[in-house]
Amino acid sequence: MASTAGTEAGAHAARTRALAVLRVRSTALAVALLPAAAAVVLLAGSLTGRIPDGSAVAAARPAVTAAALVVLALTAVVAAVVVRARPALSPTVPVPEETAPDLYRLVRDLADRLDVPAPSAIALTPDCDSWLEDRTHPAHRARPAPGGRQRRPAAPVLVIGSPFLWWMRVAELRALLAPVVAGTGPSAQPDIAAARRFVRGLDAAVAVAAGRPLLAFVGWTARLLLRSCREHAAEMERGVAAAASERAQAVDYGLRIVAQEQVGLAYAGWDRLLNRVALPAWRMGRWPSRLDAGVVSALTELSRRDRLAEGFASRLGERPACDLLEEPGVIDEAASLLAARLFHGGPERPCPGWTPVSWSQYPEEVVDRKWRLEAARLHRVLEDALDLTACPAGSVPVVDGTPAPPTVARVLDRLTGPAGPGVGERLGARLSAELAREAGHRTDGARPPGGPGGAAAHGADGPRFDGLVPLFPLQPPRSERELLTDHVTAMICCAAVDTAGAVPGLDWLDGPALLVGGARRADLARTVLSLVEDGDGEPLRAWLGEVGVRPEKPVRLG
């Protein structure tokens, strides 16, 4: 009974705020029509003889009429832009019903239990979040089939975070989606739907007018109306969320608490996987094609390491939510490609310089290649920083006609000598400049299929296609000291692989890893920091001796 009262109270508050938003729209329309009404009154008065010709009021009639025509024209332009402007649409991976009948069945059953309309479709987003998205705007609807009629969706689209499908169990996913699906009820309320359309139209109009001087008045008007209804719109959405939450309490409420715990764990593992594992591959023009499957491995490893997450891995014996998909691998690949586009700025489809990589190939195709390229760059920049003979990118430095071998010993000598701190600063600055130069250099090549045109720009921070930038960049640019640390580490890892029998590996939480005797050697980072920050090479020399690395041996570069 209390839950029903809470639901009704939230819905009533949302509808009240929606009416306030619509009143802003009505007030704006009334203000726009006021000059026209005045002109009509003056014209009617003149025609009926109530306003004598030659009077001051009659003399003002042409000016009022002209002003009314101008205001009506501007109002029509603003209304046309607001109505026709395409609202922002979240990039998602569509999930047709034939590819996930069990998932659609679960959502519809959930909607029936909540007594709300079922979502019109389901889509996935490569993030740890879920929401309802209205796609009723004509620009968002797919073209009708030949000879068929296109039906306007009666309910919003349900967007589900793809990591949830792979990490959560079916029952947990159902409990997590209950409050989201419950939001379709308020969305079907006419006043709330109209208020949302008005606010989205204003927001889209602001985006359309941005940077267009001819539409400056449209942008100013839309921003003014948005400021007028912002508070009402925010309170309306709070009321909708409160009503949906109250309605969903009757469905799997106890299990939802456990599911919310999984959300926090999934977000932590997903963030680590993107930053530590996916980002190094993206920077090299490779994109892991099974990110969602990887998040299971990452979270399982996190559960093993973190005592706070103990017991979560035991759930893996239950049915995963990804079993609700007919072809999980295909959906995972599409979501992984979209994640690369959103978080790194990659193209929409695979193309030269932008190819998928499987987890089994990751150590060889990404880790080893990354180390070799960074070792070659460090060797090249080190010689240049010492004012020795400059050499083209990719060639071997030459000193007095003799090729200078790339060795760890030479790096140690330069960074631990009397001028070590100065050499380190110059190296960091030159590495930063070299990376900027590489990132700005466009290679010759074919246009990415399906892209807007142009060749790829390759650099240490990954390819850029036609100026595309990530919508949600994962990390800020690395500092010069961080770049030097990464490159020195890469040189040492190459030497360990070449002379000590080490192999490149993948740590699900920390990314590229050096494996010696089958075990990860995470203690390398501490010794490299001592070298770079303090100029103390003794900890690193001790580490090299323990592992069996021969620092005087030339390193094979990429």
Side-chain angles (χ1 to χ4, degrees), residues 378-422:
L378 175 63
H379 179 56
R380 194 165 61 239
V381 171
L382 176 62
E383 298 304 321
D384 189 43
L386 293 172
D387 295 326
L388 299 175
T389 303
C391 58
S395 62
V396 178
V398 176
V399 182
D400 296 329
T402 303
T407 64
V408 173
R410 297 185 71 246
V411 175
L412 276 166
D413 291 342
R414 302 307 181 190
L415 293 179
T416 58

Side-chain angles (χ1 to χ4, degrees), residues 48-126:
T48 59
R50 294 180 179 274
I51 300 178
D53 293 338
S55 64
V57 177
R61 187 181 65 209
V64 173
T65 302
L69 292 176
V70 171
V71 172
L72 286 177
L74 292 175
T75 302
V77 171
V78 172
V81 173
V82 171
V83 171
R84 295 177 62 86
R86 179 173 181 167
L89 188 65
S90 302
T92 56
V93 176
V95 182
E97 185 170 358
E98 59 270 16
T99 65
D102 291 343
L103 180 59
Y104 273 81
R105 192 175 300 112
L106 180 147
V107 171
R108 286 177 182 145
D109 176 69
L110 190 57
D112 289 341
R113 294 174 61 183
L114 294 169
D115 193 25
V116 296
S120 59
I122 298 175
L124 298 185
T125 178

Side-chain angles (χ1 to χ4, degrees), residues 371 374-376 378-379 406-408 411 486-496 555 557:
W371 288 342
E374 291 183 347
L378 175 63
H379 179 56
T407 64
V408 173
V411 175
D486 291 344
H487 283 68
V488 171
T489 301
M491 175 71 81
I492 297 168
C493 289
C494 290
V555 172
L557 303 179

Side-chain angles (χ1 to χ4, degrees), residues 182-416:
T184 60
S187 298
Q189 210 282 332
D191 294 328
I192 295 177
R196 283 176 165 175
R197 284 195 300 270
F198 177 59
V199 173
R200 283 196 302 270
L202 293 176
D203 185 66
V206 171
V208 170
R212 300 182 180 181
L214 293 178
L215 296 178
F217 178 76
V218 174
W220 177 83
T221 305
R223 286 190 293 271
L224 177 63
L225 293 175
L226 277 176
R227 285 194 297 269
S228 301
C229 64
R230 178 182 295 131
E231 181 179 351
H232 299 303
E235 291 298 328
M236 176 185 71
E237 296 301 338
R238 292 191 189 96
V240 169
S245 179
E246 289 290 342
R247 182 182 293 272
Q249 285 189 4
V251 179
D252 298 333
Y253 180 74
L255 187 57
R256 190 172 309 122
I257 299 175
V258 178
Q260 290 295 337
E261 294 176 349
Q262 298 302 319
V263 170
L265 185 64
Y267 184 85
W270 181 246
D271 182 69
R272 291 286 288 267
L273 185 74
L274 292 183
N275 281 282
R276 307 291 180 87
V277 179
L279 188 57
W282 292 341
R283 285 172 172 164
M284 299 179 58
R286 306 299 298 272
W287 53 277
S289 58
R290 295 292 185 271
L291 277 179
D292 290 306
V295 78
V296 178
S297 299
L299 291 173
T300 303
E301 180 66 15
L302 181 63
S303 301
R304 186 183 67 82
R305 295 185 190 178
D306 191 348
R307 288 184 298 177
L308 296 177
E310 283 183 357
F312 286 152
S314 62
R315 309 159 34 262
L316 299 181
E318 304 173 17
R319 186 190 182 194
C322 63
D323 278 359
L324 301 173
L325 305 173
E326 290 292 308
E327 298 183 7
V330 174
I331 299 295
D332 193 358
E333 184 170 352
S336 300
L337 185 56
L338 179 58
R341 182 171 179 80
L342 294 179
F343 300 116
H344 189 65
E348 295 180 356
R349 301 177 184 177
C351 60
W354 187 248
T355 55
V357 61
S358 65
W359 292 126
S360 61
Q361 298 172 327
Y362 187 95
E364 186 67 27
E365 295 292 328
V366 175
V367 179
D368 187 75
R369 184 180 167 206
K370 170 182 180 292
W371 288 342
R372 304 290 175 182
L373 291 175
E374 291 183 347
R377 187 181 299 111
L378 175 63
H379 179 56
R380 194 165 61 239
V381 171
L382 176 62
E383 298 304 321
D384 189 43
L386 293 172
D387 295 326
L388 299 175
T389 303
C391 58
S395 62
V396 178
V398 176
V399 182
D400 296 329
T402 303
T407 64
V408 173
R410 297 185 71 246
V411 175
L412 276 166
D413 291 342
R414 302 307 181 190
L415 293 179
T416 58

